[in-house]
């Protein structure tokens, strides 16, 4: 079970959609424009910005970091010639979004614990730079983000605006990945790592203890995934295809559909034990094209892939 704090914060406050009520908290959101039924959007408990997104974080050199465990997960952002940056999941667990800029490129590093979805987006849409925040809403158990410029609502798992004037617009996903601190720091001794935010949080603690071994996701009423795949099993999503992580763990490398996916042991689950650094080893994934370039992807729970890509292709490798 998740800790009492999360049960109170997220579960206890869950409430059904009510656009008339939402207008008091969201006076600048145009609820006359939407792409999804409002009944699918639920309050997870926290209000708007109750989970505080971060902007313009501070960084320290890799060799100055002493708080992270070797297997702790970080999101690696290695774009062009920019100095590689690591965003520790111990911070994203409590903030979910980091608005940053890398060599002039505005990005948002996002993590939805309830879907295990870690995606980095380009924050530019039609020439406008957006600043993303956490709405406190969930749809199909996935975080609903919002932009501070128009207060439109965005689905984190797919990067699409679903409510407000931006409805139908898409954020561009960037080719970043989650790996262990040891892997990142060994490869990038001259890299940077996001410093601890100046918030009163128990960074390093997992408030979603044992979540990824649960049988049912939180606030999700959809059918279980097909093929007997457990709802909270991890899958690697590339475009509209999904490869079960267990298949990659056994094979270690798979080349299909124009991509090569590799699995390597040594990265802890962020959603297992009370301390993230002590989580069980679920391994790390890299996804590359035929030329060896990293590709945008996500390692998410199977139920979330099935919910957002119901017509997607399951790459089971069974012929």
């Amino acid at each position: 079970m998740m800790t009492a704090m999360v049960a109170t914060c997220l579960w206890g406050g869950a409430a059904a959609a009510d656009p008339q009520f939402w207008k008091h908290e969201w006076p600048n959101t145009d609820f006359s424009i939407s792409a999804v039924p409002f009944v699918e959007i639920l309050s997870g408990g926290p209000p708007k910005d109750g989970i505080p997104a971060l902007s313009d974080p501070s960084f320290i050199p890799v060799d100055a970091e002493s708080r992270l465990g070797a297997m702790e997960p970080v999101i690696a952002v290695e774009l062009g010639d920019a100095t590689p940056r690591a965003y520790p999941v111990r911070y994203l667990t409590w903030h979910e979004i980091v608005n940053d800029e890398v060599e002039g490129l505005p990005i948002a590093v996002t993590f939805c614990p309830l879907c295990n979805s870690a995606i980095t987006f380009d924050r530019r849409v039609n020439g406008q730079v957006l600043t993303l925040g956490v709405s406190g809403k969930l749809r199909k158990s996935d975080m609903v983000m919002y932009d501070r410029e128009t207060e439109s609502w965005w689905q984190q798992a797919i990067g699409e605006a679903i409510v407000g004037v931006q409805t139908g617009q898409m954020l561009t996903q960037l080719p970043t990945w989650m790996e262990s601190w040891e892997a990142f720091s060994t490869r990038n001794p001259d890299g940077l790592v996001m410093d601890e935010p100046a918030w009163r949080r128990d960074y390093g603690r997992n408030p979603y203890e044992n979540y990824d071994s649960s049988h049912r996701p939180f606030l999700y009423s959809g059918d279980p995934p097909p093929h007997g795949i457990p709802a909270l099993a991890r899958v690697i999503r590339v475009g509209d295809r999904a490869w079960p992580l267990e298949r990659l763990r056994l094979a270690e490398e798979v080349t299909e559909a124009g991509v090569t996916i590799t699995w390597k042991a040594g990265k802890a689950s962020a959603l297992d034990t009370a301390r993230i650094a002590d989580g069980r080893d679920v391994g790390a994934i890299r996804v590359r094209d035929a030329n060896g370039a990293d590709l945008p992807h996500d390692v998410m729970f199977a139920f979330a892939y099935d919910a957002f890509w119901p017509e997607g292709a399951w790459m089971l490798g069974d012929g």
Side-chain angles (χ1 to χ4, degrees), residues 11 19 26 42 149 171 215:
W11 296 23
W26 299 86
L42 304 176
E149 288 68 28
L171 295 166
H215 296 294

Side-chain angles (χ1 to χ4, degrees), residues 67 72 90 94 202-207 209 268-280:
R67 292 160 292 204
E72 272 201 56
R90 61 161 52 196
W94 297 91
D202 188 4
Y203 295 119
R205 183 171 70 85
N206 165 31
E209 188 173 351
S269 165
L271 301 167
D272 181 28
T273 53
R275 304 302 299 181
I276 292 174
D278 299 330
R280 73 184 186 280

Side-chain angles (χ1 to χ4, degrees), residues 100-217:
D100 200 4
E101 185 173 305
V102 177
E103 297 292 325
L105 175 64
I107 67 171
V109 183
T110 73
F111 176 58
C112 176
L114 296 177
C115 292
N116 194 65
S117 178
I119 305 176
T120 302
F121 296 108
D122 184 332
R123 292 191 284 121
R124 297 172 300 181
V125 176
N126 288 336
Q128 182 180 26
V129 176
L130 303 179
T131 308
L132 299 180
V134 183
S135 71
K137 304 293 187 289
L138 298 172
R139 176 171 171 260
K140 299 182 180 179
S141 201
D142 179 61
M143 170 175 51
V144 176
M145 311 182 295
Y146 79 96
D147 70 75
R148 301 189 190 281
E149 288 68 28
T150 71
E151 297 202 351
S152 298
W153 295 4
W154 299 76
Q155 191 75 61
Q156 183 262 354
I158 57 178
E160 181 179 1
I162 58 173
V163 176
V165 297
Q166 299 276 13
T167 294
Q169 296 294 329
M170 298 291 297
L171 295 166
T172 300
Q173 183 179 349
L174 299 173
T176 63
W177 59 92
M178 190 184 292
E179 64 183 352
S180 71
W181 168 240
E182 181 176 54
F184 178 89
S185 58
T186 299
R187 190 176 64 255
N188 299 298
D190 297 322
L192 298 171
V193 56
M194 180 178 155
D195 201 0
E196 183 170 290
W199 287 78
R200 293 178 61 86
R201 298 290 189 274
D202 188 4
Y203 295 119
R205 183 171 70 85
N206 165 31
Y208 304 87
E209 188 173 351
N210 296 327
Y211 184 65
D212 64 356
S213 57
S214 302
H215 296 294
R216 185 92 183 155

